[in-house]
Amino acid sequence: MNKSLFRKKSLKKILDNASLESHSNGMAKILNVRDLVSMGIAAVIGAGIFSTIGAAAYDGGPGVIFLFIITAVTCGFTALCYAEFASRVPVSGSAYTYSYVTFGEIIAWIIGWALILEYAIGNIVVAISWSSYFDNILQGVGIVLPRWMITDAATAQKVYEQTLSAGKSVENLAWTTAPLLGDTRFIINIPAFVIVVLVTILAYIGIQESKRSANAMVALKLIVLFVVFAVGIFFIDTDNWTPFLPNGFGGVLKGVSAVFFAYIGFDAISTTAEECANPQRDLPKGMIYSLIICTLIYIVTALVITGMVNYSEFQGVADPLAYVFDKIGQPRVGYFISISAVVAATSVLLVFQIGQPRIWMSMSRDGLLPKAFSKIHPRYSTPSFSTIITGILVAIPALFMDASLVTDLTSIGTLFAFVLVCGGVLILPKEENQSSKSFRIPYINSGFIIPVLWIVFVYFSRQRISEAFSHFGNEQHQEYLFLIFLALSLWVTVYSFLKKWSLIPVMGILCCTYLMIEIPINSWFVFFGWMTAGLIIYFSYGYRKSKIIA
């Protein structure tokens, strides 16, 4: 049974099957480097820069830029690994397909299931954020929707209880005004549902239309951010940058989940491999260029807004970019930014709604999901059934789900996929054609570098390690995660020395794993529950229907 669980697909077989599917299904090969960079920016510059950057700045102060740099470097290591995989295995499926080549079927299924957290469930958060900004725009022009139509029940109840305890009026709140169905208050997020439906229709119609829409939205976002920089720089008070690390480096790390969520999406580019004109050349460039551009934008934005307004004022601020301009008496600029936030969130929704169906399409081709998931529309050349199911999976929960429940969960799923992609590069089969022009990660021997870095890490973490061991058994679960990371990093260090592994993938594994352990333990319990559900589906269907013979 072990052999069948870890059965692998050869690179040649994957490429041959993808070629046959491409010719028979006719997916349009129209994407170039510019389109891929635009899609990367569309996916990354979204809800993160317009919302979560405020929470991260409150915890870390101006020093939050270090977290953006750390996260960017981590994603950079991963992006290079994705780039080599995307160049060597230029088919749809992203980390799922890459894991099938290197680790085998059971790991590939786990990754495919985890990617649902990144794309489909992550889009629920984006849709809810979109709804909030859209409501602000409507209010700006005098249109006020009933409060019970733009939120979820859990959030509405929380706001009601906080307002009541503060002794303020609760007359117009969602919890108070919501219609009753029996004893249950009917509270749903209509705008979030509608935008998911509209974006799903666009993704269904075709990659050409999606590409044009994404390019237009990216252009508008970049213009808006340029306005933020150009206007905001004249209102910077350098005193707001002191202290630069008000809560120490620990405060900076509190924003790990929020900041990493802001980077989620650059890997979605790899799901469009079969629609690229020259995937071996263009996919690596698209991922790396978009990541560099987005990192520079995040760093400059963080410095500007923390210079305009003291970091302590960002507590509970959902729209930090608009907020800082309201604070300096420029409400028109703030309103313009709110409009751009809606566009930004729409572009993220679009890219993720394009990515998820193509992963399901690849899983269906392998027999792990029903054939309907790999069906290509004869007119629009898109995975039609998968796109519809993705839309349903996002739209319905967006009606009633609390966004805070899934942000951390999405980050864990994504980091988990990143770890396996980096690890997969280390065991990727050598190419038979050594003259191939596929992208290669520069080889740097990690044999001595990783051990030195591990010793340095242990030295600076010595107090945390000592406390964890001295209070073992009474520690919080978060410290157990830290000790697990310490053991795992030691194992990787030893093998790096013995096997002389390539440095970049090893750094990607260690950095992503460390970011994972900083995410609250409650999200880990939900993650394991999600993985358990996925394994049940695999053993009840995918294991028996797989087209791969052990």
Side-chain angles (χ1 to χ4, degrees):
M1 183 175 179
N2 287 335
K3 289 184 178 179
S4 61
L5 283 177
F6 292 94
R7 50 197 168 194
K8 299 178 182 180
K9 293 183 71 173
S10 68
L11 285 173
K12 184 177 185 303
K13 188 171 184 178
I14 286 179
L15 295 174
D16 290 344
N17 289 346
S19 179
L20 290 173
E21 292 282 354
S22 179
H23 287 302
S24 61
N25 294 328
M27 294 185 78
K29 292 182 174 294
I30 60 172
L31 301 178
N32 55 33
V33 174
R34 186 183 65 180
D35 298 324
L36 294 172
V37 171
S38 180
M39 287 184 69
I41 296 173
V44 177
I45 304 295
I49 200 167
F50 289 99
S51 58
T52 59
I53 193 174
Y58 172 73
D59 289 325
V64 72
I65 65 168
F66 295 129
L67 185 54
F68 280 114
I69 294 171
I70 292 170
T71 307
V73 170
T74 300
C75 290
F77 293 139
T78 308
L80 290 171
C81 295
Y82 264 99
E84 179 162 337
F85 263 122
S87 181
R88 298 255 326 256
V89 193
V91 297
S92 298
S94 187
Y96 160 76
T97 301
Y98 307 155
S99 295
Y100 222 141
V101 173
T102 52
F103 294 110
E105 184 173 282
I106 184 65
I107 303 300
W109 169 268
I110 290 172
I111 283 297
W113 192 247
L115 287 175
I116 297 176
L117 290 176
E118 177 180 356
Y119 296 134
I121 296 184
N123 249 359
I124 296 171
V125 181
V126 180
I128 294 170
S129 175
W130 186 96
S131 176
S132 177
Y133 275 104
F134 182 69
D135 179 57
N136 290 339
I137 292 174
L138 291 181
Q139 290 189 47
V141 295
I143 300 175
V144 180
L145 295 176
R147 299 297 88 190
W148 57 269
M149 291 178 57
I150 58 168
T151 188
D152 61 274
T155 300
Q157 184 176 9
K158 183 179 179 180
V159 171
Y160 172 81
E161 291 173 352
Q162 290 176 342
T163 305
L164 196 63
S165 62
K168 297 180 181 179
S169 173
V170 296
E171 182 179 355
N172 297 317
L173 296 182
W175 191 258
T176 307
T177 59
L180 291 174
L181 294 178
D183 295 329
T184 304
R185 285 176 169 80
F186 186 70
I187 301 175
I188 55 176
N189 198 325
I190 294 295
F193 175 85
V194 171
I195 188 58
V196 173
V197 171
L198 293 177
V199 167
T200 301
I201 292 172
L202 181 57
Y204 183 93
I205 290 175
I207 193 68
Q208 178 73 35
E209 291 74 15
S210 299
K211 180 190 79 170
R212 291 170 179 168
S213 301
N215 288 345
M217 287 186 280
V218 166
L220 177 59
K221 280 195 290 188
L222 294 179
I223 291 173
V224 170
L225 290 172
F226 177 77
V227 170
V228 171
F229 306 151
V231 177
I233 196 171
F234 293 103
F235 294 91
I236 289 176
D237 182 355
T238 55
D239 290 340
N240 288 328
W241 289 338
T242 304
F244 204 73
L245 294 170
N247 299 311
F249 205 71
V252 171
L253 290 177
K254 283 185 178 179
V256 164
S257 184
V259 168
F260 185 78
F261 185 80
Y263 275 93
I264 288 175
F266 76 87
D267 57 310
I269 297 173
S270 64
T271 66
T272 64
E274 292 178 41
E275 291 146 295
C276 293
N278 189 340
Q280 282 88 353
R281 180 196 67 191
D282 296 346
L283 279 171
K285 291 182 179 179
M287 278 192 278
I288 295 169
Y289 292 170
S290 61
L291 187 61
I292 292 172
I293 293 171
C294 292
T295 300
L296 292 175
I297 290 174
Y298 277 140
I299 291 173
V300 174
T301 302
L303 286 174
V304 169
I305 66 171
T306 55
M308 294 172 66
V309 174
N310 189 272
Y311 76 93
S312 62
E313 297 187 38
F314 287 111
Q315 183 178 21
V317 175
D319 51 350
L321 268 64
Y323 174 78
V324 294
F325 282 97
D326 288 339
K327 287 288 292 184
I328 63 172
Q330 300 288 332
R332 291 185 179 180
V333 177
Y335 187 72
F336 180 51
I337 290 172
S338 293
I339 295 175
S340 70
V342 168
V343 175
T346 304
S347 69
V348 176
L349 283 166
L350 177 59
V351 174
F352 281 14
Q353 291 300 95
I354 290 173
Q356 179 61 60
R358 283 150 181 80
I359 293 174
W360 276 344
M361 177 183 71
S362 296
M363 297 173 76
S364 176
R365 287 176 178 174
D366 297 328
L368 303 185
L369 289 175
K371 291 182 180 180
F373 283 89
S374 58
K375 181 180 179 181
I376 304 297
H377 196 283
R379 177 182 176 185
Y380 300 125
S381 300
T382 57
S384 51
F385 181 78
S386 292
T387 301
I388 292 172
I389 295 300
T390 299
I392 294 172
L393 185 65
V394 177
I396 294 178
L399 278 170
F400 57 83
M401 186 170 283
D402 180 0
S404 63
L405 295 176
V406 291
T407 301
D408 289 342
L409 194 60
T410 304
S411 296
I412 292 178
T414 306
L415 285 165
F416 184 63
F418 284 4
V419 168
L420 289 187
V421 168
C422 293
V425 168
L426 295 173
I427 58 176
L428 187 63
K430 293 183 179 180
E431 275 190 312
E432 297 178 4
N433 180 12
Q434 295 299 325
S435 62
S436 171
K437 295 183 180 179
S438 300
F439 175 81
R440 289 289 177 279
I441 296 175
Y443 175 77
I444 303 173
N445 187 349
S446 65
F448 292 99
I449 298 175
I450 293 299
V452 170
L453 291 176
W454 190 83
I455 292 171
V456 171
F457 173 80
V458 170
Y459 174 78
F460 283 104
S461 304
R462 62 190 185 279
Q463 183 176 353
R464 185 176 182 181
I465 295 171
S466 176
E467 291 177 354
F469 277 110
S470 62
H471 297 95
F472 193 81
N474 298 316
E475 278 291 345
Q476 297 179 353
H477 290 107
Q478 206 71 38
E479 292 309 310
Y480 290 145
L481 290 177
F482 176 75
L483 293 177
I484 291 173
F485 169 77
L486 195 65
L488 176 64
S489 63
L490 177 60
W491 181 85
V492 171
T493 299
V494 171
Y495 268 79
S496 296
F497 178 77
L498 296 176
K499 301 288 187 180
K500 296 180 173 58
W501 281 341
S502 179
L503 178 65
I504 290 175
V506 172
M507 289 298 296
I509 292 171
L510 294 175
C511 291
C512 288
T513 306
Y514 182 79
L515 290 180
M516 288 176 75
I517 69 162
E518 293 295 335
I519 295 174
I521 191 65
N522 289 339
S523 297
W524 278 92
F525 292 142
V526 179
F527 175 73
F528 289 134
W530 175 264
M531 286 294 116
T532 300
L535 289 174
I536 291 173
I537 294 174
Y538 170 73
F539 284 110
S540 62
Y541 183 89
Y543 175 72
R544 295 183 295 105
K545 299 289 186 177
S546 173
K547 294 180 180 179
I548 308 300
I549 299 176

